[in-house]
Amino acid sequence: MTKVTRARRQVRLSRALGLALTPKAVKHFEKRPYPPGEHGRARRRTESDYAVRLREKQRLRAQYGLREKQLARAFEEARKTPGLTGEALVENLETRLDALVLRAGFARTILQARQAVVHRHILVDGKIVDRPSAQVKVGQTLQVKPRSQTMVPFQVAAAGAHRDVLPAVPGYLDVQLEKLTAVLTRRPKRAEVPVTCEVQLVVEYYSR
């Protein structure tokens, strides 16, 4: 799949889900803030409870760039965690390595963050970790590999070029962007995680 095709798919998905998933999708979404297709401008019919829950689950999945099996597995893990399942689900997703690479500003989109991990550009406590789903623990340090820091995409990131399109750095990360390093200082709390989702609807979807 080419970059252009992938970008178009993200724009189309953004319109279908009602939120911009990438910086490029923001511009298209502002021009056409309605679902794609022939009847996109028409008002939505009254949706069933199932359809509402399904769309909310799809929104969460899209923001983290996950496959269905990955999100379902994450839900099962969250269900075993003490406390509210929905909050645990988002907090666990947020401590994935690819998610924190994005939040730190080392990448512009979740897909770019995942590529950075898979292509072995990211160190966790000085060791290469190439699994995007790896869970980062409190106190661990993320860093772009020194040899990779000379690459243009990371030089752009270090200059702060992504900060205009990303949410503010959340309070659970201590980031030194010019050094392309970040430390997870504590567990995220659902209220401060910058994702758009009614997580209780996601819980209801998987609990049906």
Side-chain angles (χ1 to χ4, degrees):
M1 184 187 301
T2 66
K3 287 185 178 180
V4 172
T5 302
R6 189 180 297 113
R8 286 175 178 169
R9 285 187 61 180
Q10 288 295 304
V11 169
R12 190 173 180 84
L13 181 58
S14 295
R15 291 174 60 199
L17 296 177
L19 77 165
L21 297 172
T22 64
K24 190 169 186 176
V26 172
K27 297 178 181 178
H28 291 270
F29 197 71
E30 288 174 348
K31 294 178 181 178
R32 300 178 179 180
Y34 46 82
E38 182 180 353
H39 304 292
R41 290 177 183 270
R43 292 183 63 183
R44 286 183 183 270
R45 294 174 296 176
T46 301
E47 294 180 303
S48 66
D49 289 344
Y50 172 79
V52 171
R53 292 168 183 154
L54 173 63
R55 188 173 70 250
E56 209 62 24
K57 184 266 295 184
Q58 298 290 62
R59 294 176 92 182
L60 180 62
R61 190 183 131 196
Q63 287 173 88
Y64 283 103
L66 303 176
R67 296 190 299 273
E68 175 58 33
K69 285 185 178 180
Q70 292 175 306
L71 184 56
R73 191 181 308 123
F75 175 79
E76 289 303 319
E77 288 297 321
R79 193 152 61 172
K80 300 172 186 175
T81 304
L84 297 175
T85 299
E87 292 189 3
L89 173 60
V90 173
E91 290 164 8
N92 289 346
L93 291 175
E94 189 65 11
T95 50
R96 285 172 54 103
L97 179 56
D98 56 355
L100 292 178
V101 167
L102 175 65
R103 301 291 179 240
F106 300 168
R108 193 175 179 86
T109 67
I110 190 65
L111 295 179
Q112 286 183 5
R114 180 160 303 138
Q115 286 181 336
V117 175
V118 171
H119 293 164
R120 302 172 65 83
H121 296 304
I122 304 298
L123 306 177
V124 177
D125 285 350
K127 297 180 180 179
I128 291 176
V129 178
D130 59 6
R131 191 162 53 89
S133 62
Q135 286 286 308
V136 178
K137 299 177 181 178
V138 173
Q140 288 191 312
T141 299
L142 320 180
Q143 180 184 14
V144 175
K145 189 169 61 176
R147 187 182 300 177
S148 300
Q149 291 184 16
T150 60
M151 299 173 64
V152 172
F154 294 119
Q155 290 181 338
V156 169
H162 303 328
R163 292 266 57 100
D164 60 331
V165 296
L166 295 175
V169 175
Y172 42 87
L173 275 179
D174 180 11
V175 178
Q176 295 186 52
L177 196 54
E178 69 283 356
K179 296 182 179 179
L180 293 172
T181 65
V183 179
L184 180 64
T185 57
R186 58 176 172 80
R187 288 279 297 174
K189 297 177 181 178
R190 168 61 189 105
E192 59 187 342
V193 175
V195 295
T196 303
C197 178
E198 291 290 339
V199 290
Q200 182 56 35
L201 294 178
V202 180
V203 173
E204 291 172 7
Y205 174 85
Y206 282 116
S207 301
R208 72 192 192 284

